[in-house]
Amino acid sequence: MSEPATPGKASADADDEATDADATGRTDTEDETAERRREAATRAPGTGAGAVVAALEAAGVETAFGVQGGAIMPVYDALSASTVDHVTMAHEQGAVHAADAYGIVRGDPGVCLATSGPGATNLVTGIADASMDSDAMLALTGQVPSDMVGSDAFQETDTVGVTAPITKHNFFASDSDDVGRTVGEAFALAGTGRPGPTLVDLPKDVSFGQTDRPVGEPTPPKRSVPTPAADEEQVEAAADAIQRAERPLCLFGGGVIKGDATEEARAFAREFGIPVVTTMPGIGSFPEDDDLCLSWAGMHGTGYANMAITHTDCLIAVGTRFDDRLTGGVDTFAPEAEVVHVDIDPAEISKNVHADYPVIGDAATVIDQLDAAIGYGDAPDPEAWREQCAEWREEYPMDYAIDTDEPVRPEFVVEAFDAATDDDAYVTTGVGQHQMWAAQYWTFREPRTFVSSHGLGTMGYGLPAAIGARIAADDDRQVVSFEGDGSFLMTIQELSVAVREHLDITVVVLNNEYIGMVRQWQDAFFEGNHMASDYDWMPEFDTLAEAFGAKGFRIDDYDDVEDAVEAALAYDGPSVVDAHVDPEANVYPMVASGAANGLFALSEDQL
Amino acid sequence: MSGDDDRSDAAERAGDAGDPTPDGGSTHPAESPLAERARPADADAPTTGLSGPRPEERPHPTGRRDEHGVRKEPDQGPEPARRATVSALVEDEPGVLARAAGLFRRRQFNIESLTVGPTTVEGHSRITLVVEETEAGIDQAKKQLAKLTPVIAVGELSGDAVAAELVLLKVRGQEPDKVHAITSMYDGQTLDAGPRTITVQITGDENQIDDAIDAFDQFGIIEMARTGQTALERGDSPTTPGEEPGHSAADTDDDEFTNYDD
């Protein structure tokens, strides 16, 4: 890449033409973009590798993340002459998480590349992560030449076999003439219906092979395209149940965001005055500063959200898979509720929690159908229930007092950054206590602004995700990454990429010198035996950041917070704030594994 | 450090809308966060954990769900497992059987047998599975199978479907006449007969095969190979939903086939 600016961005002095609706900073008009895609779909690609790249261009891919290597070299060679920007990452795990986050922010599949063998196996964690969170992503992996497959050749791994359980589908390319279409199909499939990661394994001879067959438009397999609208009978039955309810509750999951249904979901809840809780992946589907919103439920969700789930008589669940972190013990989950379950994937219906009223379809379409089926004035206004929820909000506040002589509270650092950033800033996280504090104490208002690893719980996700989010986002949107000391150290090498690309991101390490979530559990359930969780061997992250060429800041006590927040956000480039927080701080509320949501503990003695 | 006069530029710049909820539900104060949070130690908010009624002080509904998340009376016992034969029409591509088998292993569905073979349609195969699961487990197995990209359609066979299995039995050859008699009794065939061993083939439904094995046991079964069940729906009912009997490359006569597309 020749320009030092953010990849995929035009330089600032470019012409101000009418731009794409997604306002990505590119200066092509929609017509130019469509024309470029048409050209890529119809040209003679020359080689298999050329076809792979043509397929990416025909799909409208602007950015790909990856690491070079022997078996993928022909594809990289073809990529060098492509309109697709390539961001070289320090490690394939960085590439896959960056692609994942890029896809989350953009709403289109992110793309990552790796070579065969160790390159491909380094993607596995990130592919599994995308699979658990239903993130649309395309992974392209090099493979040894076809005639060597199965011979345990150098850098050979059965990538299709290894990734079969963690992909929506994967493909082994066997023919230079077909490989472009296969890549297009894999890309389209990733974003169709319930999103998920797909992978195409590219043997080197297939990439090198000659082909003049145009790749065509990316098309998913016909069978994989679900019908958006739900069955009218299902809709009517669900609408009746909602109208009968005295204590209805909306539960908005990640599917509301993936299905671009936030507008419909918000309008629905507001029209009928139904309180809203979200899941963790559903954070941002409903503004958390709205009176109707009870924030998110589950293991570390708010007390009031868990009370509402415990006492609702009609749970309107949209785009959620009832993960165990949300439900606690299934036997005590929403014990009074008839469950309306809206999902695009029929296999999610009654998988974990029985759906009394399954409604299978696209979230936005189905919510509109439900809205029409209920009709104006037909649903009683659940005013008393709303008041009850408001009472719970007062009874179980997410509230704490600070003593300025004590070590800094991590929640306070989160709130300080929230106060100093725009309402539409992106937040990425690693996994652990810091992730929970970020989710609890940052007020999210918009979909796709909370970029985190939910289902798999991948430590190390935050920094590469911040890189992907930064490159995907508009220039005027801020990106803050909350990290734990343990999480940050797992993918810290990607800081070199942020420096090289001059990415304006702010990394906030809530450094308690523990893998704190493990330490919290050890204190609660293992008699405080801190086996392998004491991280007093951490490097000085602010100094280390400077060694990478980033800007380092340090917080030791409350007096440091304001200046560090301001300076780190103001710095135009990657900055790292090493915030030394209270090592004893724990995450509450907490529902013990398998316990009832309504029995959430507010302190350790209640566990 | 303390005080309400301590409002940061950053907070000012952020231009917060302030607290939109009268009940303190917002975590977004108009004041600088420090001014908001710094309170004397005897304030309401705790410095460890959170405030609020303890678990035992809260109202709790008495309702319960079973392991499948179905609301029920607590005294109901666990759901019984049943056997189901599931047929899947699949694209005949490399790895499709591994995907199906891997799915069942990964999701811990209890699988009795799995057979696969071509159909009359070029490029299509049929996988027949026998699973033993609860109603919810069978439902989930069918749905997860249907979700695999190469799977075209999935159907569960009804109770009166036709099902068959094949077993090869190699028994000791000391009593050839008796072996032959039992082979005939089960409409089997003798595939190989020598001075020391006799190998027979028996086909039938699962019970017939089980009976035959018991009957041959008296001679001493040296080796056995059993295919597992394959099955089709009876009469006009399609085996998998929407299935249209197609044409193998050799077939040209359309009239032989009923089109089930209604």
Side-chain angles (χ1 to χ4, degrees), chain A residues 247 249 277 297 302-315 326-327 332-337 385 392 591 595-600, chain B residues 58-65:
Chain A
R247 303 186 300 280
L249 182 68
V277 300
T302 60
Y304 34 98
N306 282 323
M307 287 305 278
I309 286 244
T310 303
H311 292 277
T312 175
D313 65 353
C314 179
L315 188 64
L326 169 75
T327 60
T332 51
F333 178 72
E336 306 277 87
W385 169 238
W392 284 325
V591 179
N597 282 340
L599 294 174
F600 53 90
Chain B
R58 302 169 201 156
H60 289 294
T62 53
R64 287 291 178 271
R65 295 176 183 273

Side-chain angles (χ1 to χ4, degrees), chain A residues 399-411:
Chain A
D399 203 9
Y400 60 94
I402 57 178
D403 179 343
T404 48
D405 296 333
E406 295 285 317
V408 178
R409 291 198 58 145
E411 304 94 322

